[in-house]
Amino acid sequence: MPGDLGIGGTHFLRVGPGLPTAFASPKRRIRTDVDPLRRRFPELGELSKARWIGAALGSPDPRPAVPGPTDVTVDGFATVDPAKLAAITSTGTWKEEHISCPVPDGLAADLGEPANWLHSELFDRSITWDHYTGSFYFDRRTSRVYFCTVNPKERAG
């Protein structure tokens, strides 16, 4: 449900692939709770030490300009159990890549130095079920996952 994502207004700056890019975003609260993430991404297992932002797309005004559905982004990172991370990344086709979606300015510093993260488009689809847009990047060194999603659906694990 969008309400538990703490959505508010935002601005996005799209840039080409490469290093994570911070972008300005007014009045966006950084969240640390993991329950909304667990309900949307149960394949990631137990999560801890989360830092993420939920925001409505399109306008700096937190109220939608037109009545109706509002697209919501959920961007951030969390620590994944190392055994779960090893299990996830041991199967499928993974590539070392830089995060290709823009990283909110409130999260960029905590994300740390740019690194090559493990990414798999097949894994992305296994989480999103092609019902929403999302990318998931894993760092084995820190046991973290970085996620950038639009309209992630809540579901049971």
Side-chain angles (χ1 to χ4, degrees):
M1 137 172 28
D4 76 338
L5 295 176
I7 59 174
T10 185
H11 293 285
F12 282 88
L13 171 65
R14 290 283 179 194
V15 295
L19 300 177
T21 303
F23 60 96
S25 54
K27 300 178 187 172
R28 293 178 12 136
R29 182 171 63 102
I30 296 175
R31 308 256 314 251
T32 59
D33 50 330
V34 294
D35 287 337
L37 303 176
R38 289 178 183 148
R39 289 191 303 269
R40 284 162 179 81
F41 317 130
E43 295 86 351
L44 299 177
E46 286 300 310
L47 299 173
S48 62
K49 299 179 185 172
R51 293 187 53 78
W52 61 278
I53 296 172
L57 283 174
S59 169
D61 185 343
R63 298 167 296 164
V66 178
T70 300
D71 288 329
V72 176
T73 64
V74 178
D75 300 300
F77 59 90
T79 300
V80 178
D81 175 72
K84 182 68 171 180
L85 177 69
I88 289 171
T89 58
S90 69
T91 61
T93 304
W94 293 86
K95 297 178 187 174
E96 284 195 6
E97 299 179 0
H98 290 290
I99 295 170
S100 64
C101 46
V103 176
D105 57 351
L107 299 177
D110 292 329
L111 196 56
E113 290 296 316
N116 284 331
W117 295 70
L118 293 177
H119 178 249
S120 166
E121 290 181 19
L122 185 61
F123 182 78
D124 292 348
R125 287 193 304 274
S126 77
I127 290 188
T128 66
W129 298 353
D130 290 329
H131 292 152
Y132 65 91
T133 303
S135 296
F136 299 83
Y137 298 86
F138 294 90
D139 181 358
R140 286 185 181 146
R141 183 179 46 86
T142 61
S143 292
R144 290 190 299 180
V145 59
Y146 184 84
F147 46 87
C148 44
T149 64
V150 177
N151 296 329
K153 308 292 185 222
E154 186 173 321
R155 59 187 207 272

